[in-house]
Amino acid sequence: MKDIFKIILILIVCRKLALCNGAGKSYYTAGVVEFLPTIAGMSSADIVNEHLEAYVRIIKSAEANDTDIIVFPEGTLNNALQTTYVPAAHEKVVPCLNVTGMVYADFLMQLSCAARTARKYLVINLTEKENCTAVAQDTRSCAANGLNVYNTNVVFDREGCVISRYRKVHIYVEQKNTTLEPEYGIFETDFGVRFGHFICFDILFYTPAEELVVRYGIKDIIFTSMFYSELPFLTAVQLQQSWAWGNDVNVLAAGASLPVAGVTGTGIYAGVQGDLVSVMVGGVGIRKLYVSQVPIISNKTLTNDYEYKQKTETSMPIVASDELTLLKDPQIENFTSLLLDFTTQQNITQTLCNNDFCCRFDIATQSIDTPAETVYYKYRIGAFKGQRTYQKNEWSDIQICALYACKNESVASCAEIFNSTAVVKPNIAFKSLQIVGDFMKADKLLIMPNTLDGSLLSLSAETLGWHVIDQREHYTAHMNLTRPYCDSLLTFGIYANYYDRSATTRTASYSNTTPTVLLCTLALVLLVWRF
Ligand SMILES: *[C@@H]1O[C@H](CO)[C@@H](O)[C@H](O)[C@H]1NC(C)=O
Ligand SMILES: *[C@@H]1O[C@H](CO)[C@@H](O)[C@H](O)[C@H]1NC(C)=O
Ligand SMILES: *[C@@H]1O[C@H](CO)[C@@H](O)[C@H](O)[C@H]1NC(C)=O
Ligand SMILES: *[C@@H]1O[C@H](CO)[C@@H](O)[C@H](O)[C@H]1NC(C)=O
Ligand SMILES: *[C@@H]1O[C@H](CO)[C@@H](O)[C@H](O)[C@H]1NC(C)=O
Ligand SMILES: *[C@@H]1O[C@H](CO)[C@@H](O)[C@H](O)[C@H]1NC(C)=O
Ligand SMILES: *[C@@H]1O[C@H](CO)[C@@H](O)[C@H](O)[C@H]1NC(C)=O
Ligand SMILES: *[C@@H]1O[C@H](CO)[C@@H](O)[C@H](O)[C@H]1NC(C)=O
Ligand SMILES: *[C@@H]1O[C@H](CO)[C@@H](O)[C@H](O)[C@H]1NC(C)=O
Ligand SMILES: *[C@@H]1O[C@H](CO)[C@@H](O)[C@H](O)[C@H]1NC(C)=O
């Protein structure tokens, strides 16, 4: 008897030790930073120094103490006038120790040192330069100054060694170069997790983002961004959570913070368990680290003995259009849609088709008395099958079944939110809400649940029922509410990205058109920096 107790005791102690000592841990601790860049008032060199100091302060802060890895967002460190060389991972360079040659910019060395001192993995995004002569096999013409300039993610390990370098594939309106072949940013850590990383606009494409998951089996994705949110389906946190859920992978997303320009959105997501922390920031923007324990997913099975922090924090929620500039889906008026009129019927069952693609909606509501002087959203249900572009000559084939909010009865008012002069109170509660869609199988397809509440965050995982059934020729996706929903709801739908299915049939026709939608760009920052 006594022996059994002893064994149990030993087991408990071993387990505790294992948890503390890394190897057997079922979670790691991650930090993601929402970072407000300085965009004016100093020389470009001073701006880099100011950013560097703020980065180092965050890395050394008490809040960062427990983190294994910290991710900084895109475009918030250096700029086109302050580039640096970056060593390749196989060179195993620790810039912190490499003082003699002085090839690397001072800020790269300093961050290497910060990672080394704090003993943390560090992911940063920067503007990289490379001598054209370094890529002999590239026959494309080199710029006059002999340099390639890339938008690059750099990963340091706990020694400050550069262990991964990823150069953005889907460059936006940035004046950057791309590599001859797309690169895949993948690295291993001492806590047993293999990460893949990519940048902003990449998330909407198959190569390399989706490939990291489907081809390389990566379960932990790092996403650095400066993302311009678009209603009703592609606001930043909404897309991050949606992508993490649809792929059932962890996503660590760090967003630049420039709300007046439409840029914010940071979070940590655990696949179908939803967000562990997520923020959309309004007003002037912030510099803040968000920390969460993240469950380690091994071989598609989620370990269940982690103790991650749920929703540690939400900062000031955005409720109004004047706190964050928002783009609007250019295709929203081309949806087959139906305005829901809850005054005549509380329950609505309806099938809508767009081209040959159909969605079934099953909705039960209950009216809520709204105080005078308040406004409420109207709702439409809609189906869409078609192509969309994101300004450049890059397209996605999209299929959507969704309920979405509109300011009034007209289609033109959908994908807009009220401004802060209005007090918004929902006039209906959704007692139940179910959407079902059939999606033809394809080689490159990601089907995601897509939700947005009145604070521009996604619905919590407990609220959402999601089930994809593999039929012979197609998938049937079911999405529902698991409980009645009484708060403000902006979007509830199924979003399928067939990626570039029809890309080849459509090449140059778009190239002369004026840009209308800019989802990821440094245009604003560069504009201000050019002085
Ligand atoms: C960081 O954590 C260590 C042990 O985990 C502790 O000894 C130290 O006091 C902490 N430092 C701060 C600044 O919280
Ligand atoms: C990464 O950061 C650098 C420096 O701020 C910037 O030039 C580059 O454009 C950033 N990446 C993206 C996609 O903006
Ligand atoms: C790039 O070329 C310049 C001039 O030839 C040289 O000084 C520099 O060290 C090279 N940089 C790297 C990283 O090879
Ligand atoms: C890199 O970009 C510059 C400026 O856009 C361009 O002139 C140059 O040809 C590009 N280099 C390569 C290798 O594509
Ligand atoms: C994951 O799967 C691989 C190959 O299928 C196997 O070698 C490995 O031991 C598995 N790891 C865990 C933690 O189960
Ligand atoms: C909406 O559909 C019409 C008719 O097919 C088309 O002319 C228009 O370009 C579409 N709108 C967008 C933004 O693609
Ligand atoms: C609406 O649906 C709810 C829940 O499905 C049901 O309880 C209720 O009786 C229905 N109301 C009407 C008027 O059909
Ligand atoms: C509905 O909203 C649209 C877009 O916000 C606006 O242009 C239009 O005037 C509004 N219509 C009514 C009837 O209020
Ligand atoms: C807010 O919206 C109302 C109604 O659409 C409009 O009259 C008012 O000018 C707007 N106020 C601000 C500050 O944008
Ligand atoms: C939601 O759908 C699932 C199937 O995907 C079903 O098991 C569940 O009962 C549904 N929940 C509600 C509240 O309708």
Side-chain angles (χ1 to χ4, degrees):
M1 230 12 204
K2 249 178 151 180
D3 283 347
I4 289 177
F5 282 124
K6 237 185 223 165
I7 289 168
I8 290 174
L9 193 69
I10 288 169
L11 280 177
I12 290 172
V13 170
C14 288
R15 187 180 170 78
K16 279 254 159 70
L17 281 177
L19 282 175
C20 300
N21 283 346
K25 245 162 108 174
S26 59
Y27 64 86
Y28 61 95
T29 304
V32 290
V33 181
E34 166 112 3
F35 195 91
L36 167 69
T38 296
I39 54 176
M42 295 180 209
S43 72
S44 65
D46 287 347
I47 286 176
V48 176
N49 284 332
E50 198 273 335
H51 288 164
L52 174 65
E53 280 170 26
Y55 271 39
V56 172
R57 222 176 299 127
I58 289 171
I59 295 163
K60 289 183 173 165
S61 68
E63 293 76 35
N65 199 18
D66 292 337
T67 55
D68 296 299
I69 181 164
I70 299 182
V71 183
F72 285 90
E74 175 184 24
T76 57
L77 181 58
N78 67 339
N79 53 62
L81 304 176
Q82 305 288 332
T83 56
T84 180
Y85 293 115
V86 176
H90 66 81
E91 298 176 53
K92 298 200 164 51
V93 171
V94 180
C96 184
L97 303 178
N98 187 0
V99 278
T100 41
M102 272 298 194
V103 263
Y104 307 113
D106 177 64
F107 69 85
L108 195 77
M109 291 194 193
Q110 302 260 4
L111 287 169
S112 162
C113 297
R116 196 174 161 86
T117 309
R119 306 212 53 78
K120 296 178 190 314
Y121 289 84
L122 206 59
V123 184
I124 59 168
N125 164 256
L126 49 75
T127 308
E128 180 199 355
K129 66 177 171 184
E130 175 194 52
N131 290 350
C132 286
T133 50
V135 268
Q137 67 278 28
D138 194 344
T139 53
R140 296 174 299 181
S141 70
C142 180
N145 62 1
L147 296 173
N148 288 321
V149 176
Y150 302 106
N151 178 348
T152 304
N153 277 352
V154 179
V155 184
F156 300 101
D157 70 7
R158 296 188 206 268
E159 305 294 331
C161 179
V162 173
I163 55 166
S164 184
R165 177 182 74 184
Y166 166 69
R167 292 157 171 174
K168 192 181 184 189
V169 170
H170 295 278
I171 51 170
Y172 214 69
V173 292
E174 322 151 43
Q175 290 165 331
K176 298 281 159 54
N177 293 111
T178 49
T179 51
L180 204 50
E181 298 290 337
E183 296 180 339
Y184 298 87
I186 297 173
F187 64 96
E188 307 269 352
T189 56
D190 60 9
F191 46 95
V193 171
R194 195 162 59 119
F195 286 92
H197 56 117
F198 56 83
I199 307 175
C200 206
F201 197 40
D202 285 330
I203 196 171
L204 296 163
F205 299 94
Y206 190 77
T207 303
E210 185 64 15
E211 266 185 311
L212 287 171
V213 177
V214 299
R215 194 169 138 202
Y216 292 93
I218 304 279
K219 301 277 187 271
D220 292 78
I221 295 290
I222 288 169
F223 175 62
T224 62
S225 80
M226 173 171 275
F227 195 85
Y228 290 69
S229 285
E230 179 192 282
L231 285 170
F233 305 112
L234 299 181
T235 60
V237 159
Q238 176 185 26
L239 176 60
Q240 292 161 13
Q241 183 156 342
S242 187
W243 197 91
W245 187 302
N247 282 306
D248 198 9
V249 295
N250 292 327
V251 172
L252 317 182
S257 200
L258 278 172
V260 282
V263 173
T264 178
T266 292
I268 301 178
Y269 313 86
V272 301
Q273 301 194 37
D275 68 320
L276 305 178
V277 59
S278 62
V279 285
M280 289 287 283
V281 176
V284 295
I286 51 169
R287 290 181 173 178
K288 192 162 169 44
L289 173 76
Y290 297 91
V291 176
S292 177
Q293 293 179 350
V294 184
I296 292 174
I297 306 171
S298 48
N299 293 354
K300 197 80 190 164
T301 25
L302 205 58
T303 49
N304 58 8
D305 54 352
Y306 57 92
E307 25 185 287
Y308 62 87
K309 283 180 241 165
Q310 272 283 0
K311 303 255 177 188
T312 38
E313 164 147 32
T314 41
S315 62
M316 197 179 59
I318 299 165
V319 287
S321 58
D322 36 359
E323 290 169 53
L324 176 70
T325 307
L326 291 159
L327 301 165
K328 184 168 164 170
D329 185 341
Q331 288 283 16
I332 196 77
E333 298 193 28
N334 281 351
F335 282 43
T336 301
S337 77
L338 177 75
L339 179 70
L340 302 183
D341 180 0
F342 298 112
T343 55
T344 55
Q345 50 181 156
Q346 290 201 312
N347 294 357
I348 294 167
T349 297
Q350 181 79 40
T351 296
L352 292 178
C353 299
N354 182 257
N355 300 311
D356 58 349
F357 171 63
C358 297
C359 308
R360 297 191 292 283
F361 298 86
D362 231 310
I363 305 167
T365 65
Q366 186 171 1
S367 54
I368 302 175
D369 287 335
T370 54
E373 313 286 309
T374 62
V375 297
Y376 54 84
Y377 287 105
K378 311 284 187 300
Y379 290 100
R380 276 181 184 267
I381 49 176
F384 179 74
K385 177 181 177 183
Q387 296 160 353
R388 71 157 294 172
T389 181
Y390 316 93
Q391 186 274 320
K392 286 188 61 188
N393 194 19
E394 295 198 84
W395 298 74
S396 296
D397 289 89
I398 302 291
Q399 292 184 23
I400 297 170
C401 296
L403 171 137
Y404 45 92
C406 310
K407 280 160 70 179
N408 62 35
E409 282 77 10
S410 80
V411 173
S413 75
C414 299
E416 291 181 1
I417 58 173
F418 291 110
N419 68 29
S420 58
T421 60
V423 180
V424 183
K425 292 268 182 245
N427 76 326
I428 50 154
F430 291 94
K431 285 163 73 179
S432 70
L433 179 50
Q434 168 153 293
I435 302 177
V436 180
D438 288 334
F439 298 85
M440 289 305 294
K441 286 193 173 175
D443 286 346
K444 300 178 181 179
L445 167 64
L446 176 61
I447 308 175
M448 302 171 270
N450 185 297
T451 65
L452 191 65
D453 72 12
S455 311
L456 300 189
L457 298 175
S458 282
L459 270 52
S460 68
E462 310 84 70
T463 319
L464 190 61
W466 174 254
H467 197 44
V468 179
I469 301 163
D470 189 344
Q471 316 278 18
R472 280 172 64 87
E473 310 255 282
H474 64 271
Y475 296 105
T476 303
H478 290 257
M479 180 172 167
N480 60 15
L481 286 173
T482 57
R483 58 177 78 148
Y485 189 85
C486 310
D487 293 330
S488 245
L489 184 65
L490 293 178
T491 308
F492 190 91
I494 304 168
Y495 192 104
N497 193 345
Y498 283 83
Y499 294 101
D500 51 354
R501 179 174 53 189
S502 48
T504 49
T505 62
R506 218 180 13 205
T507 48
S509 62
Y510 196 76
S511 51
N512 295 331
T513 320
T514 331
T516 47
V517 183
L518 305 167
L519 275 176
C520 284
T521 168
L522 270 185
L524 174 120
V525 178
L526 290 180
L527 207 77
V528 187
W529 266 337
R530 292 270 159 80
F531 57 81

